[in-house]
Amino acid sequence: MNWLWAIVVGLVLGVLARAIIPGKQYIPLWLTVIFGMLGGLLGNAAAGWIGVSETGGIDWIRHVLQLAGAVLIVALGAPLWVMIRGKRGTDGESRRTA
C-alpha cells in the first residue's frame, strides 16, 4: 500500500510544482508523477538533514520541503525532457525535424 501512497503524493506534488513554475512544461503526466515522487524524496532527505523529519502533529516544514524539491526537480527535468524528446505541439505531433 505504500507504493500507492507514493504515487498519489507524487501526483499531487508534481501537479502543484507544474502549477507553481511559470509557463507550460511539456512533460507527460507519468513523468510529472515520477518528478513529484523524486521531489518528495528530496524534501524528506532535506527534512532529515535539518532535523525536522519527525515532529508532533502535521509536519508542515517537511511538506513545504517536499514541494520545494518537486519544484526543483520539475524545473530541471522539464527542459531536459524537451531537449531529449522534442517539444510536442498542441495536436500531439512532434515538431518538424527537417
Side-chain angles (χ1 to χ4, degrees):
M1 189 74 145
N2 287 337
W3 59 269
L4 182 62
W5 277 113
I7 292 171
V8 170
V9 169
L11 174 66
V12 170
L13 286 173
V15 168
L16 285 174
R18 286 182 67 173
I20 290 171
I21 298 171
K24 182 162 176 54
Q25 293 79 40
Y26 294 97
I27 56 174
L29 184 62
W30 63 267
L31 193 57
T32 301
V33 172
I34 291 174
F35 285 168
M37 291 168 65
L38 291 173
L41 289 172
L42 182 63
N44 282 340
W49 294 331
I50 63 174
V52 293
S53 60
E54 293 187 27
T55 61
I58 299 175
D59 296 330
W60 291 110
I61 296 172
R62 183 171 52 96
H63 296 317
V64 169
L65 290 171
Q66 288 174 336
L67 182 57
V71 168
L72 178 69
I73 297 291
V74 169
L76 294 175
L80 277 170
W81 177 259
V82 170
M83 187 172 51
I84 293 169
R85 297 289 292 189
K87 182 177 171 183
R88 298 274 176 183
T90 57
D91 59 355
E93 294 181 17
S94 296
R95 66 181 169 173
R96 268 190 283 177
T97 57

